[in-house]
Amino acid sequence: MRVPEIIPGMYEAWDGGQLAALSLTQQGDVSCLSLPYGTCQLEMDNLDRRFEPSGKDGLFQSIEERQGIDIFLGPVLPNGEAELKRVGIFYQSNGGWRTGSNAMTMRWDLVDIVGLLADRAFLAPASLPTTLEGWLGAIVGQLGDNFAHRYIVDPAYAGKSVTASREALEGITCGALLLDVCMASGTWPRADAQTGRLAAEPLWNQGNKLTLDNLDSYPVIRANNEVAALLFTLSDGT
């Protein structure tokens, strides 16, 4: 029975009628000193036990390992239509759909593609990549063939030379390697909200101006004893 569902790509859409709660956080660190990632807590209505883990005919048994959940958010317009925007694709971080909750609601804690890779051991391929794009392909490839091309790289940085010795890769995680290759190429990693793919882009692609309109309160000037130095580069290069 799964064959006619898989071939045409059928899937189930959950709307506000089944959704009990949704909490979503998107994070990034442009300094590459840490690897935060997006998380999504999804809680579904389970009054009819359609997510019963022990039920052979329940939906719980048909949810596949590392199956992505496409999350859309948006307002309802005056004409009654919903203007939905994709905010990301999220996955179960432990490699399968498991939960201890089996009550009136069923809750899952999901992560984006960066969260999937963060603590996963990197198994070096026979031929090591030599460019930023090659390393990103090797990193997402650790998740299997279905993830082989789930990455995007800024075209101006895709061919940046990044090399590493096989000895330096021993015992390294995908998350640590991702930070290393991004620091070496002058980019930073994140999960792209529009595609759900792993993205490596320079900081200025995301905008480099912060105005008062972007702040929820006025900035406060105070001493910071932890700062050793501040370096400014002006537009004329001085």
Side-chain angles (χ1 to χ4, degrees):
M1 292 298 295
R2 290 287 293 159
V3 174
E5 294 179 1
I6 295 173
I7 292 179
M10 293 178 63
Y11 64 94
E12 181 169 312
W14 298 332
D15 57 24
Q18 294 84 36
L19 187 65
L22 176 67
S23 177
L24 188 144
T25 302
Q26 293 175 316
Q27 301 181 88
D29 183 359
V30 297
S31 70
C32 289
L33 297 178
S34 63
L35 189 65
Y37 47 81
T39 59
C40 178
Q41 188 177 90
L42 182 65
E43 195 165 346
M44 306 298 299
D45 179 17
N46 194 35
L47 289 174
D48 57 359
R49 290 295 191 268
R50 61 197 306 268
F51 293 105
E52 175 66 49
S54 60
K56 295 182 179 180
D57 58 345
L59 184 63
F60 192 91
Q61 295 287 349
S62 68
I63 302 178
E64 300 171 357
E65 180 178 343
R66 286 202 299 272
Q67 182 172 336
I69 299 297
D70 219 348
I71 304 294
F72 292 82
L73 293 176
V76 176
L77 302 178
N79 61 7
E81 296 181 359
E83 185 179 2
L84 299 178
K85 300 294 183 181
R86 176 186 275 175
V87 294
I89 300 177
F90 294 83
Y91 311 86
Q92 181 72 9
S93 60
N94 57 13
W97 288 80
R98 294 188 288 270
T99 179
S101 172
N102 182 24
M104 296 176 61
T105 60
M106 184 68 74
R107 191 188 76 192
W108 291 287
D109 296 315
L110 311 175
V111 297
D112 60 19
I113 191 170
V114 178
L116 275 183
L117 293 165
D119 299 321
R120 190 177 187 88
F122 180 78
L123 303 178
S127 178
L128 296 180
T130 58
T131 64
L132 172 62
E133 184 175 10
W135 281 109
L136 257 67
I139 291 173
V140 297
Q142 303 292 309
L143 296 172
D145 294 339
N146 290 338
F147 287 80
H149 301 288
R150 295 193 185 184
Y151 66 91
I152 53 178
V153 191
D154 187 284
Y157 288 74
K160 284 273 188 176
S161 177
V162 180
T163 59
S165 64
R166 193 167 295 275
E167 292 76 16
L169 298 176
E170 293 183 1
I172 197 171
T173 64
C174 291
L177 180 59
L178 179 60
L179 290 177
D180 289 343
V181 297
C182 284
M183 281 192 287
S185 59
T187 58
W188 67 285
R190 66 183 181 91
D192 182 65
Q194 293 299 317
T195 63
R197 299 184 177 188
L198 176 66
E201 298 177 339
L203 177 60
W204 49 84
N205 266 22
Q206 305 307 310
N208 60 353
K209 294 183 179 179
L210 186 65
T211 65
L212 292 177
D213 292 335
N214 303 125
L215 303 176
D216 57 9
S217 61
Y218 283 95
V220 177
I221 300 177
R222 59 177 177 268
N224 190 333
N225 297 326
E226 297 179 357
V227 176
L230 292 176
L231 302 178
F232 295 91
T233 300
L234 303 181
S235 59
D236 60 359
T238 57

